[in-house]
Amino acid sequence: MKIGITTRNMESWSSTQLREALTKRGVPHVCFTFPKLVAWLGKKPYFKVNDVNLMEELDALVIRPIGRGSLEELVFRMDMLYRLERKGFLVINPTEAIEHCVDKYDILALLEDNDIPVPRTVATESVTEALKAFTELGGDVVVKPLFGSRGIGATRLVDSEIASTVFKALTFHHSVIYIQEFVPHGYSDIRAFVIDNQVIAAMRRISESWKTNFSQGAKPTPLELPPDLEELAVKTAKVIGCKIAGVDILEGPKGPVIVDVNSQPGWKGLQMVTKVNVADEMVNFILSELKR
Ligand SMILES: Nc1ncnc2c1ncn2[C@@H]1O[C@H](COP(=O)(O)OP(=O)(O)O)[C@@H](O)[C@H]1O
Ligand SMILES: [Mg+2]
């Protein structure tokens, strides 16, 4: 048995943890970045990585951060993963779940269609409509890159003139305008880590500003997730199709809302405040999937 891990940074903390957990269990593995993948048509093997026949020599591919890329790179990467799955190869997370999670509109739309509470959000290519929505959402919104992560590029807008300038700049660069009502969360939120329909660990992230990403400097604190939020996080991961998910929950004045689902979550912050070894749990899950 041999496991492949694709990641953006092979030396990253989470990738290293995962590799160490695999080594501990005696599972051979290889780690590589997406650009190392070569896809063949009209000749086998269909997929090579460093001259290794991927489908013959590996048993599963674990997708760690696929990284920011152009739309062309992203679609090509998804297409390769879809083909691997069509050929019966195990990809974790499932490609469809990864694809949903790339797009913040798509995540929340799927959740809303399954009766999961999400913040009021507007996505549009029209500056005029975005400005109308800005007012309707109370003149206090967060604008986010549709394909963003780690809180990068998200901005809070409370002034219509600045909002107008930002929206015009976004459409000038052919970005979709994605705005969301600001949920007053008191500078803290919840991250639930779900594996195989179970929350294996959770934390409260406490920040000094409205962005509560660990990578933006928020402090992780231990959290025993109440059963209702546990149920909500599990349902969220299930609806998106994530076997492994980082679910972000904001506690707003009208109750909890799901703001983000990560199909390739890191767990450096979480590991600081939980006794559960997250990498071990991931490896247990991968091995159990291979046995199925
Ligand atoms: N509508 C919102 N109201 C208040 N805070 C928000 C809102 N949306 C996002 N945030 C904050 O910004 C952080 C990043 O946003 P998120 O949607 O999780 O995108 P990503 O983590 O992919 O960049 C969240 O963890 C949260 O702290
Ligand atoms: Mg997030």
Side-chain angles (χ1 to χ4, degrees):
M1 186 203 298
K2 199 169 187 178
I3 307 287
I5 305 167
T6 63
T7 181
R8 175 185 51 206
N9 172 10
M10 291 194 277
E11 306 309 322
S12 80
W13 187 90
S14 296
S15 294
T16 307
Q17 286 276 308
L18 190 59
R19 286 155 70 185
E20 282 174 7
L22 286 163
T23 304
K24 228 168 39 188
R25 291 289 295 267
V27 182
H29 52 274
V30 285
C31 199
F32 54 89
T33 58
F34 255 101
K36 290 276 182 222
L37 262 176
V38 182
W40 268 93
L41 297 167
K43 186 189 138 191
K44 284 183 179 169
Y46 292 137
F47 293 99
K48 286 206 297 186
V49 52
N50 298 330
D51 275 327
V52 166
N53 178 339
L54 191 149
M55 287 167 67
E56 280 291 316
E57 294 177 48
L58 301 183
D59 295 280
L61 202 52
V62 181
I63 313 301
R64 291 297 309 149
I66 59 174
R68 277 183 77 77
S70 67
L71 184 62
E72 194 165 298
E73 285 167 337
L74 234 106
V75 171
F76 172 55
R77 289 171 187 184
M78 293 300 149
D79 291 344
M80 287 192 288
L81 297 183
Y82 274 125
R83 188 174 199 203
L84 278 166
E85 282 182 336
R86 281 201 301 276
K87 302 272 171 216
F89 195 83
L90 178 64
V91 178
I92 299 171
N93 270 307
T95 310
E96 201 179 338
I98 296 173
E99 195 173 21
H100 286 312
C101 287
V102 167
D103 179 336
K104 289 204 186 311
Y105 167 74
D106 197 30
I107 300 173
L108 295 201
L110 251 174
L111 294 182
E112 178 161 82
D113 292 347
N114 287 276
D115 303 319
I116 293 176
V118 299
R120 285 187 304 157
T121 304
V122 174
T124 176
E125 294 174 43
S126 155
V127 172
T128 313
E129 292 302 326
L131 276 168
K132 276 196 232 164
F134 171 78
T135 306
E136 200 175 331
L137 293 174
D140 186 356
V141 305
V142 174
V143 58
K144 303 182 204 180
L146 199 63
F147 287 9
S149 67
R150 291 150 60 102
I152 298 166
T155 309
R156 186 173 172 184
L157 297 172
V158 292
D159 178 291
S160 63
E161 221 170 291
I162 296 173
S164 169
T165 306
V166 171
F167 298 161
K168 281 177 191 154
L170 286 170
T171 50
F172 180 79
H173 292 286
H174 293 278
S175 293
V176 172
I177 305 167
Y178 180 87
I179 55 175
Q180 200 162 66
E181 64 179 332
F182 183 79
V183 179
H185 51 54
Y187 295 173
S188 96
D189 78 346
I190 292 171
R191 161 61 65 90
F193 204 101
V194 182
I195 299 182
D196 199 18
N197 295 320
Q198 262 188 302
V199 175
I200 60 134
M203 64 174 160
R204 179 174 292 285
R205 304 183 290 194
I206 300 175
S207 174
E208 286 178 0
S209 80
W210 63 270
K211 281 187 206 176
T212 55
N213 300 75
F214 175 67
S215 54
Q216 297 276 347
K219 294 265 172 298
T221 60
L223 179 70
E224 192 67 51
L225 204 59
D228 58 326
L229 293 186
E230 196 168 328
E231 201 180 304
L232 183 66
V234 168
K235 186 177 175 193
T236 295
K238 203 170 189 172
V239 160
I240 305 289
C242 280
K243 303 282 177 72
I244 297 171
V247 179
D248 293 348
I249 307 170
L250 297 185
E251 296 153 295
K254 286 179 236 146
V257 286
I258 303 293
V259 77
D260 192 22
V261 185
N262 301 272
S263 66
Q264 303 134 47
W267 62 92
K268 190 176 179 184
L270 182 62
Q271 196 60 79
M272 294 157 102
V273 295
T274 179
K275 289 197 180 78
V276 174
N277 186 311
V278 178
D280 285 347
E281 294 293 326
M282 280 177 72
V283 169
N284 288 344
F285 168 67
I286 295 160
L287 297 181
S288 72
E289 281 291 275
L290 274 169
K291 277 197 202 120
R292 263 180 218 173

